Amino acid sequence: MRAVSLQKDLSLFTFKDLLEFFPYRHIDKTGICPISEITPQTEYIQVAGRLTSLDVSGEGHRKRMTATLKDATGFLELIWFQGINWIHKTLVVGHEYLVFGRVSFFMSTPQITHPEIEVYSPEKKDGKAFLEPVYSTTEKLKSKGLGGRQIAKLTAHLFGLLSEKEIPENLPESVIEQFQFVSRYTAFRHLHFPPDQQSLKKAQDRLKFEEFFLAQIRMGLMKSRRHRYSQGVVFEQVGDLFNTFYHQHLPFSLTGAQKRVLREIRQDCARGRQMNRLLQGDVGSGKTIVALLSMLLAIDNGFQACMMAPTEILAQQHYATITSLLKDMSVPVRLLTGSVGAKQRREILQLTEEGSLPILIGTHALIEDTVKFKNLGFAIVDEQHRFGVAQRARLWAKASIPPHILIMTATPIPRTLAMTAYGDLDYSVMDELPPGRQPITTVHRYDHSRPQIMDFIREQVHAGRQAYIIFPLIEESEKVDYENLMKGYEEVKAFFPEPKYYISMVHGRQKPEVKETNMQRFVSRDTQIMVSTTVIEVGVNVPNATVMVIESAEKFGLSQLHQLRGRVGRGAEKSFCILLTGQKLTNEAKQRLMTMCATNDGFKIAEKDLELRGPGDIEGTRQSGELNFKLASIVQDKQWLELAKETTDNILKDDPDLSTIQNSRLKEYLLSQKGKTAWSKIS
Ligand code: ADP
Ligand code: MG
């Protein structure tokens, strides 16, 4: 019966599950505290003293029992509302008792309601010498006699049956020695029933490290296998197109970071194995030109290249940027999106299949099965977090030898997160902005200062600049948000009347042509102000825009705010970001706004985001099972993650298949984990 309840309510099926059903905290019962030392901050306490009074008062459900416990330093009140008859019989005034429980204060007198109480005998003088585990359970389970206490009993019983060899070591001896870890068996035992705080800490450290270590080694093995066995097309040479463009048509000189990343890509693609590279570059770091040069490299070696963007607007913009960069060279480029007409579409598909189209740019329309390449050698995925892993796999399938893949993202992810979520990818960072950029000044203002902000926009517009005003559009409240956007648009129009000023508006309900026309008018400076929802969040590049106003900024997450802000500060002029909010702000919203005002560094912002929201919510990693650690937290236990990474790298460097004797038990363990471990069921 208990087994059924455990299975249904806590998904505990086997001994192993029970072992890994970790207590969420421990109550320290190791010491006896003098009553006078109890303060309002005291949580749980163990005291010993003489019972000096015991009274029952009230009737029915108001019945209560009160007792007073006295030690050498003061008095403590004990209270019961339930089980009074039984407890009353067991307690004797004048005897000594050991009492444990959660302290509360009533009129400055400390008291414990429903304490644990037992006779204080001399051999227990030092109190019960252990930390008691507390397990989370459910009300329903409690009612069936399976409260946390019973789970503790079951687990204790289990440890009575298990010996060291049933929880064998899985880490290599050298690792255990290096970090002075306790054995796996001891770690599990002490995690549930630690003799003292220090043992608990040691058990936690060992098991946290183990979790990170195993995740890292699995990904490391995947990566090292791919490096050694995957076949990739070879780009042997840097050819004419690359060189011509690089020496004659590059509109600026590359930053050091751009050069470094290009070198990494070139080396990767010459090796004969498939590249899977994640390129993280903060907004405005200049990823597009890196993408273009990589595509030229592919074409020079006789292959086709494609570039996918998450939205139609972005695909169009890439198309415009790349055709204009290539205008003096004869490299055909076409754009394929959902809104391309049937006739054009057929033509593009045919050219692609024949191999006479070297560069195809588009949205996820590119991964549809109807799009066939003659010899795709290089695929770029821009703003990766909108594309799932399965979609990427469809790209790989587009050629008999999978094309090299470059995933570009401007949503920086903290290193720790990248290590766990994308540990199987190679990884490049562009941490340098093109020269001449001035940092964006960011301020937070309340709604009532909107008129001043409009004045400021007017000044900027008169100086020849352009401005964005962004409204939130959140799915749950779409209708209201939409109305707000329209209202906002009317208000902005009132401040900036035609024909002196023109305004573009872009939102998700518009037809693609309308969106594009409005966008295009802003790009070509026919309009000075862009009122929009977050459809322009990623990638949009209008270097002349210098003001970004974000309405209801408290509704946006940090990474979104950072992306939106990245739409300005792209040219040489000084840019500004104004975060507008209502008066009422949650603590977290305040922290987000403060962070935005304090830094322009996407990586710092990502760290803060991770800290505020936890890894589960970070964009692009939501489906990643890799982040679900039982004990370890990639936020709090960062240092263990770094150490685990370092350790696994070292191990795999010397023994990439784990075939040496030192690593045999690790390998065995990993193999045993492939299927579900067959431990006997709880009966
Ligand atoms: P992102 O990394 O956000 O995609 P883009 O590729 O759109 O950035 O580049 C942002 C802007 O910076 C563009 O206007 C681009 O022309 C410019 N840019 C890129 N690289 C350089 C460079 N090395 N020197 C000067 N400007 C650059
Ligand atoms: Mg971009």
Side-chain angles (χ1 to χ4, degrees):
M1 207 273 316
R2 281 185 176 181
V4 174
S5 292
L6 280 173
Q7 282 175 21
K8 260 182 42 193
D9 294 342
L10 294 174
S11 337
L12 298 177
F13 294 95
T14 61
F15 283 164
K16 181 172 177 288
D17 292 336
L18 197 56
L19 268 188
E20 290 182 357
F21 188 66
F22 298 128
Y24 66 90
R25 64 194 221 95
H26 287 83
I27 296 172
D28 193 344
K29 290 187 169 181
T30 49
I32 292 177
C33 176
I35 290 173
S36 64
E37 283 182 14
I38 299 175
T39 70
Q41 279 73 47
T42 311
E43 225 193 327
Y44 286 89
I45 193 81
Q46 178 163 267
V47 297
R50 191 176 300 282
L51 206 66
T52 56
S53 74
L54 186 65
D55 302 297
V56 178
S57 62
E59 277 303 318
H61 67 275
R62 313 192 63 169
K63 192 165 167 179
R64 57 139 104 209
M65 179 167 81
T66 320
T68 311
L69 191 81
K70 176 185 181 303
D71 74 359
T73 68
F75 294 92
L76 176 70
E77 199 162 75
L78 309 174
I79 298 165
W80 290 264
F81 301 102
Q82 277 154 16
I84 292 176
N85 292 346
W86 184 74
I87 298 162
H88 192 258
K89 268 184 236 156
T90 62
L91 296 180
V92 183
V93 173
H95 282 195
E96 300 235 346
Y97 291 93
L98 187 66
V99 167
F100 177 86
R102 188 196 279 274
V103 181
S104 58
F105 270 82
F106 183 70
M107 311 278 279
S108 76
T109 309
Q111 55 183 30
I112 299 180
T113 305
H114 289 166
E116 288 173 27
I117 183 162
E118 61 191 85
V119 173
Y120 184 51
S121 44
E123 65 269 23
K124 284 190 176 172
K125 214 177 183 157
D126 301 323
K128 281 196 259 171
F130 70 91
L131 295 159
E132 197 177 280
V134 186
Y135 298 89
S136 57
T137 170
T138 64
E139 281 307 313
K140 206 158 114 223
L141 281 176
K142 271 189 204 151
S143 72
K144 289 182 188 152
L146 267 172
R149 197 65 61 70
Q150 281 72 26
I151 292 177
K153 266 191 194 149
L154 268 179
T155 310
H157 180 67
L158 176 60
F159 273 110
L161 301 174
L162 293 176
S163 62
E164 291 252 18
K165 72 176 193 307
E166 270 118 356
I167 308 181
E169 191 49 70
N170 56 3
L171 298 179
E173 201 53 45
S174 58
V175 175
I176 307 241
E177 268 169 29
Q178 186 188 347
F179 296 103
Q180 304 261 300
F181 283 139
V182 294
S183 73
R184 193 156 196 263
Y185 172 80
T186 308
F188 270 106
R189 197 177 183 117
H190 286 177
L191 197 71
H192 290 276
F193 304 105
D196 50 47
Q197 288 291 357
Q198 202 200 353
S199 309
L200 175 61
K201 171 88 170 45
K202 283 189 139 178
Q204 287 168 336
D205 283 351
R206 141 94 216 211
L207 291 172
K208 283 174 179 177
F209 176 88
E210 182 183 314
E211 277 191 295
F212 285 144
F213 177 86
L214 292 173
Q216 290 296 320
I217 204 106
R218 281 194 185 98
M219 276 185 298
L221 279 170
M222 248 155 71
K223 187 160 147 182
S224 96
R225 291 219 174 104
R226 211 189 56 231
H227 280 185
R228 282 173 304 148
Y229 304 123
S230 86
Q231 204 191 355
V233 292
V234 184
F235 296 173
E236 275 166 356
Q237 48 157 356
V238 178
D240 283 349
L241 291 175
F242 187 100
N243 282 326
T244 308
F245 182 80
Y246 193 89
H247 296 295
Q248 292 169 28
H249 304 297
L250 202 60
F252 34 66
S253 46
L254 296 183
T255 65
Q258 285 169 323
K259 284 185 194 159
R260 192 188 61 234
V261 170
L262 269 170
R263 208 177 310 129
E264 285 167 350
I265 292 170
R266 243 170 52 196
Q267 283 168 356
D268 248 15
C269 293
R271 244 173 223 151
R273 62 171 162 90
Q274 189 221 359
M275 176 183 82
N276 269 288
R277 185 168 284 279
L278 175 68
L279 168 55
Q280 271 204 66
D282 208 346
V283 281
S285 58
K287 292 183 292 296
T288 317
I289 202 84
V290 171
L292 174 58
L293 281 160
S294 314
M295 291 196 288
L296 293 178
L297 181 68
I299 302 165
D300 273 339
N301 286 278
F303 293 95
Q304 291 171 288
C306 72
M307 182 166 179
M308 278 205 297
T311 63
E312 180 121 11
I313 290 185
L314 206 53
Q316 272 156 6
Q317 189 189 282
H318 277 322
Y319 177 71
T321 308
I322 284 173
T323 43
S324 117
L325 284 166
L326 290 176
K327 65 181 183 302
D328 298 323
M329 293 173 60
S330 53
V331 182
V333 182
R334 297 296 289 264
L335 174 69
L336 184 66
T337 67
S339 59
V340 166
K343 183 161 160 276
Q344 248 201 66
R345 192 185 170 79
R346 252 196 320 275
E347 190 192 315
I348 293 173
L349 291 181
Q350 200 196 334
L351 293 173
T352 309
E353 195 163 357
E354 280 170 16
S356 48
L357 182 65
I359 296 183
L360 182 59
I361 293 173
T363 53
H364 47 269
L366 288 194
I367 55 170
E368 280 164 22
D369 292 334
T370 48
V371 183
K372 297 196 175 70
F373 290 85
K374 176 145 185 267
N375 58 351
L376 181 64
F378 202 93
I380 293 162
V381 183
D382 196 18
E383 302 303 341
Q384 173 272 343
H385 60 273
R386 304 271 174 102
F387 286 102
V389 175
Q391 287 167 307
R392 269 189 266 155
R394 290 177 67 180
L395 261 181
W396 298 333
K398 287 204 179 286
S400 56
I401 297 176
H404 299 301
I405 307 247
L406 179 68
I407 296 157
M408 306 197 299
T409 170
T411 307
I413 13 177
R415 215 180 97 74
T416 50
L417 200 62
M419 262 158 58
T420 36
Y422 302 109
D424 60 323
L425 297 175
D426 298 299
Y427 182 64
S428 299
V429 177
M430 288 209 315
D431 46 6
E432 185 183 348
L433 293 181
R437 299 272 172 83
Q438 300 187 48
I440 303 163
T441 297
T442 304
V443 295
H444 168 215
R445 294 284 182 271
Y446 292 104
D447 286 335
H448 56 71
S449 32
R450 196 174 279 112
Q452 287 94 301
I453 290 161
M454 293 300 153
D455 287 343
F456 177 70
I457 294 177
R458 190 176 291 126
E459 278 170 31
Q460 289 282 310
V461 166
H462 288 175
R465 310 277 105 75
Q466 289 164 285
Y468 294 99
I469 304 175
I470 307 296
F471 286 81
L473 191 68
I474 295 149
E475 273 159 48
E476 306 94 71
S477 53
E478 197 186 332
K479 192 156 174 286
V480 180
D481 285 335
Y482 187 70
E483 282 163 10
N484 284 342
L485 170 71
M486 291 306 161
K487 217 175 86 201
Y489 175 63
E490 293 304 326
E491 271 177 37
V492 177
K493 254 174 99 166
F495 274 103
F496 296 96
E498 289 180 11
K500 193 160 179 208
Y501 307 96
Y502 289 98
I503 303 172
S504 280
M505 179 164 67
V506 172
H507 59 77
R509 290 190 180 183
Q510 288 165 332
K511 289 214 176 96
E513 311 83 271
V514 178
K515 256 192 255 179
E516 202 209 349
T517 313
N518 288 335
M519 196 60 225
Q520 214 42 59
R521 290 185 67 209
F522 188 67
V523 172
S524 59
R525 302 198 198 181
D526 292 343
T527 60
Q528 297 87 28
I529 296 170
M530 162 69 79
V531 173
S532 125
T533 59
T534 52
V535 291
I536 63 129
E537 182 185 332
V538 287
V540 170
N541 186 33
V542 181
N544 188 51
T546 54
V547 186
M548 167 60 65
V549 177
I550 303 175
E551 294 269 357
S552 306
E554 71 272 26
K555 291 191 186 170
F556 293 91
L558 264 178
S559 77
Q560 227 182 353
L561 289 173
H562 181 62
Q563 281 301 316
L564 287 167
R565 178 170 61 185
R567 297 313 106 216
V568 297
R570 301 175 81 84
E573 303 301 330
K574 170 87 189 153
S575 291
F576 304 87
C577 174
I578 300 156
L579 306 169
L580 270 177
T581 73
Q583 294 284 344
K584 264 204 197 131
L585 295 172
T586 64
N587 222 344
E588 219 191 286
K590 276 185 204 151
Q591 291 210 46
R592 286 198 296 268
L593 298 165
M594 261 161 52
T595 307
M596 286 298 292
C597 295
T599 181
N600 277 306
D601 181 335
F603 286 90
K604 282 199 187 126
I605 290 172
E607 291 279 352
K608 187 72 189 177
D609 201 25
L610 181 61
E611 189 189 308
L612 286 176
R613 294 198 298 170
D617 280 335
I618 300 294
E619 230 168 329
T621 60
R622 220 159 281 167
Q623 315 92 323
S624 174
E626 305 296 346
L627 300 176
N628 295 330
F629 296 108
K630 279 199 154 123
L631 272 181
S633 142
I634 61 170
V635 181
Q636 273 115 47
D637 306 312
K638 242 198 270 196
Q639 73 287 12
W640 281 123
L641 177 54
E642 300 278 355
L643 288 171
K645 166 88 174 138
E646 210 179 288
T647 312
T648 51
D649 283 354
N650 282 336
I651 289 177
L652 291 173
K653 196 174 79 219
D654 298 336
D655 184 12
D657 277 322
L658 300 183
S659 49
T660 63
I661 187 91
Q662 297 94 293
N663 295 321
S664 59
R665 69 184 178 205
L666 172 61
K667 186 170 192 170
E668 233 165 77
Y669 179 81
L670 291 171
L671 289 172
S672 77
Q673 293 295 298
K674 271 196 163 161
K676 191 86 193 124
T677 356
W679 290 51
S680 48
K681 301 260 187 232
I682 295 170
S683 50

